């Protein structure tokens, strides 16, 4: 007999059932077992807003369970110290904070406009590759400015290495085994680093550090001074891929909702019509005026968080929602079910962008929103991602009516393994008159 304060368990709950339909089992667990439930012994799901927020904010009790997708490369000179990595992270954040993003909207907006201009109108198009390329151009340019064209091909290969590495497999190999996917990852990471190293050295030797995120990392801080070169290089592959990989998943859902909800798309188009004709003239004031567009983006992210499941490990025996969680247990944080909690959102399964607006104009904050996580390991690129997605949504609706292909076959497949995505999504764009 289990402990009295052990979370309830679904009778059919198991990894086999979980693998068959993870979204359906997550919903059923939340509905039948409550805010925290047990998938298997030692594996728990935080399904509601309160427990999800608690796990994500209590990093001392619930540590990130996975290793970095792009771990530091092995070098004869030695890896950066933990202190150097912490300072590199702080320097990186200086270039990604909301104020920094707001100051560079005029550099982000042209990429969103180019995506809209280059969409092949009048035909069914598999859209995610086009979205990913557009967002990669925007993200890499935000990080590296004029050096982006040099680094973009290497960033694309890093993304491919990520896709190969996270592909579902029957076997989970120990981290020390150099599988083909891991060797490919290392080769692409090394190629990216070798392309970036001369850029770092050229900027430092010339004194022209740049105003982009890399420039922020090259500037000495008052508390630490100059970052070692290796600390800068090691921290950049992961964030480079992150600038466009997760936003691409989100953009697929957003474009699908523009196609399925033409009245909402009309409201977005009306707002976007007031943007400058020259996208480079776009400012934070223009972005702030896209209130309904931002609300639509947030609502789609609420319904379909691109990172719908986060894994944490209990570092010690602790309490979660009045249950005892033993040290070493795995806790799966589920924004997907937390966002569908009727205690937080009225009619939670309905698409209602208006829920993010109030009568006075500025976006309201009703209840939980965990699409970018929260706490010490929340998404550091959240401001950049929201800006990219808002402008991409506005520029697309400004130019086109979107529709799904006619016919009995679905226009996409939902995948849940690494994130919530519309794989193979096909849409048709018709020019607005």
């Amino acid at each position: 007999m289990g402990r009295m304060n052990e979370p309830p368990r679904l009778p059919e709950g198991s990894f086999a059932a979980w693998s068959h339909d993870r979204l359906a089992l997550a919903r059923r667990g939340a509905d039948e077992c409550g805010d925290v439930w047990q998938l298997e012994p030692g594996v728990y799901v935080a399904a509601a807003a309160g427990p999800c927020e608690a796990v994500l904010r209590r990093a001392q009790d619930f540590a990130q369970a996975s290793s970095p997708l792009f771990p530091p490369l092995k070098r004869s000179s030695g890896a950066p110290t933990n202190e150097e990595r912490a300072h590199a992270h702080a320097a990186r954040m200086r270039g990604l904070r909301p104020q920094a993003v707001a100051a560079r909207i005029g550099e982000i907006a042209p990429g969103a406009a180019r995506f809209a201009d280059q969409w092949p109108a009048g035909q069914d198009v598999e859209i995610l590759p086009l979205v990913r390329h557009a967002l990669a151009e925007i993200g890499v340019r935000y990080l590296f400015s004029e050096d982006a064209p040099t680094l973009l091909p290497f960033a694309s290969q890093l993304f491919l290495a990520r896709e190969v590495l996270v592909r579902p497999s029957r076997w989970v190999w120990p981290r020390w085994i150099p599988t083909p996917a891991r060797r490919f990852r290392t080769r692409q990471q090394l190629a990216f680093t070798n392309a970036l190293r001369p850029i770092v050295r050229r900027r430092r030797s010339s004194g022209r550090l740049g105003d982009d995120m890399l420039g922020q990392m090259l500037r000495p801080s008052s508390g630490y001074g100059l970052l070692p070169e290796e600390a800068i290089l090691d921290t950049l592959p992961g964030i480079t891929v992150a600038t466009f990989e997760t936003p691409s998943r989100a953009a697929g859902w957003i474009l699908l909702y523009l196609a399925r909800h033409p009245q909402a798309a009309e409201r977005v188009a009306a707002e976007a019509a007031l943007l400058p004709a020259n996208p480079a003239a776009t400012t934070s004031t223009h972005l702030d005026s896209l209130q309904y567009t931002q609300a639509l983006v947030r609502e789609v992210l609420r319904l379909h968080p691109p990172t719908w499941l986060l894994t944490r490990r209990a570092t010690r025996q602790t309490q979660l929602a009045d249950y005892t969680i033993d040290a070493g247990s795995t806790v799966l944080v589920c924004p997907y079910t937390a966002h569908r909690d009727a205690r937080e959102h009225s009619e939670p399964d309905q698409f209602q962008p208006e829920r993010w607006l109030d009568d006075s104009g500025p976006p309201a904050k009703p209840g939980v929103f965990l699409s970018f996580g929260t706490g010490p390991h929340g998404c550091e690129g959240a401001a950049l991602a929201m800006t990219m997605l808002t402008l991409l949504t506005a520029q697309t609706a400004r130019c086109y009516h979107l529709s799904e292909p006619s016919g009995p076959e679905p226009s996409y497949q939902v995948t849940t393994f690494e994130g919530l995505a519309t794989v193979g999504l096909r849409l048709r764009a018709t020019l607005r008159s």
Side-chain angles (χ1 to χ4, degrees):
M1 186 174 177
R3 298 190 307 258
M4 291 298 292
N5 63 341
E6 194 171 46
R9 181 177 177 183
L10 279 176
E12 296 83 7
S14 68
F15 276 117
W18 182 252
S19 300
H20 177 68
D21 191 341
R22 301 203 295 173
L23 292 181
L25 198 66
R27 290 294 299 270
R28 186 176 166 203
D31 291 342
E32 297 184 18
C33 297
D35 294 355
V36 178
W37 58 280
Q38 185 177 181
L39 177 61
E40 285 197 339
V43 180
Y44 307 98
V45 180
C52 284
E53 293 240 21
V55 172
L56 295 178
R57 292 188 182 279
R58 289 164 52 190
Q60 73 280 7
D61 294 330
F62 300 100
Q64 283 188 304
S66 58
S67 60
L69 187 62
F70 295 101
L73 295 168
K74 294 181 180 179
R75 299 184 178 93
S76 57
S77 58
T81 65
N82 289 335
E83 182 185 14
E84 289 169 343
R85 290 195 184 105
H87 285 291
H89 178 265
R92 193 171 72 200
M93 284 301 299
R94 289 200 297 271
L96 291 169
R97 59 192 176 187
Q99 302 95 312
V101 175
R104 298 183 60 197
I105 287 173
E107 301 171 48
I108 298 170
R114 278 195 301 274
F115 167 75
D117 290 341
Q118 294 169 7
W119 189 322
Q123 56 185 290
D124 297 338
V125 176
E126 186 174 343
I127 196 58
L128 286 189
L130 301 180
V131 167
R132 190 178 303 118
H133 180 74
L135 293 180
E137 284 190 331
I138 296 171
V140 175
R141 180 165 292 278
Y142 184 87
L143 301 182
F144 305 111
S145 291
E146 71 275 5
D147 294 307
T150 300
L151 294 170
L152 184 59
F154 297 98
S156 298
Q157 287 299 105
L158 283 177
F159 170 80
L160 181 59
R162 180 206 179 282
E163 290 294 284
V164 170
L165 198 67
V166 303
R167 206 168 278 164
S169 172
R170 292 180 58 190
W171 307 102
V172 180
W173 298 101
R175 294 175 184 172
W176 54 268
I177 293 181
T179 63
R182 289 169 183 167
R183 292 199 301 271
F184 180 67
R185 186 255 320 266
T186 299
R187 289 196 302 272
Q188 302 313 317
Q189 189 175 349
L190 185 61
F192 177 85
T193 300
N194 287 340
L196 183 57
R197 189 185 303 276
I199 293 172
V200 169
R201 292 179 176 177
R202 186 198 73 231
R203 290 195 187 191
R204 277 187 162 168
S205 64
S206 68
R208 295 191 295 273
L209 303 181
D211 295 325
D212 51 19
M213 196 201 72
L214 178 59
Q216 292 292 338
M217 298 187 72
L218 295 175
R219 283 175 170 74
S221 72
S222 57
Y224 184 76
L226 284 175
L227 278 171
E229 183 177 283
E230 303 304 335
I232 294 173
L233 296 174
D234 274 348
T235 194
L236 287 173
I239 191 63
T240 299
V241 172
T243 59
F244 62 91
E245 188 269 335
T246 303
S248 295
R249 293 201 300 268
W253 290 107
I254 292 166
L255 296 175
L256 178 62
Y257 271 74
L258 287 180
R260 290 185 171 177
H261 298 271
Q263 289 184 334
E266 291 292 338
R267 288 190 63 176
V268 173
E271 284 189 341
L274 302 178
L275 291 173
N278 177 10
T282 307
T283 66
S284 60
T285 301
H286 295 115
L287 185 70
D288 291 342
S289 71
L290 299 174
Q291 292 177 10
Y292 183 81
T293 306
Q294 292 186 57
L296 182 142
V297 169
R298 287 178 68 88
E299 180 68 348
V300 175
L301 291 178
R302 181 188 70 83
L303 288 167
H304 304 282
T307 304
W308 73 280
L309 201 66
L310 301 159
T311 304
R312 296 292 187 266
R313 178 182 54 82
T315 59
R316 56 190 175 186
Q317 188 180 82
T318 187
Q319 297 296 116
L320 180 65
D322 297 326
Y323 297 116
T324 299
I325 305 296
D326 288 333
S329 297
T330 297
V331 179
L332 303 176
V333 176
C334 190
Y336 181 82
T337 52
H339 288 172
R340 284 169 164 74
D341 188 341
R343 295 167 295 184
E344 299 290 343
H345 303 283
S346 63
E347 299 182 289
D349 288 316
Q350 298 300 310
F351 172 68
Q352 297 176 357
E354 294 79 9
R355 75 174 78 241
W356 299 101
L357 302 173
D358 62 24
D359 294 336
S360 61
K365 295 182 179 180
V368 66
F369 185 77
L370 296 172
S371 291
F372 298 110
T374 191
H377 298 296
C379 175
E380 58 193 83
L384 177 60
M386 273 299 295
T387 299
M388 293 164 68
L389 292 171
T390 300
L391 291 171
L392 189 85
T393 303
Q395 293 290 359
T396 302
R398 181 185 197 178
C399 295
Y400 303 111
H401 300 280
L402 301 186
S403 61
E404 292 182 86
S406 59
E409 296 299 320
S411 62
Y412 64 96
Q413 291 183 323
V414 176
T415 60
T416 61
F417 182 69
E418 269 298 302
L420 198 54
T422 53
V423 172
L425 175 64
R426 300 181 70 82
L427 295 172
R428 174 171 293 219
T430 305
L431 283 169
R432 289 185 180 273
S433 57

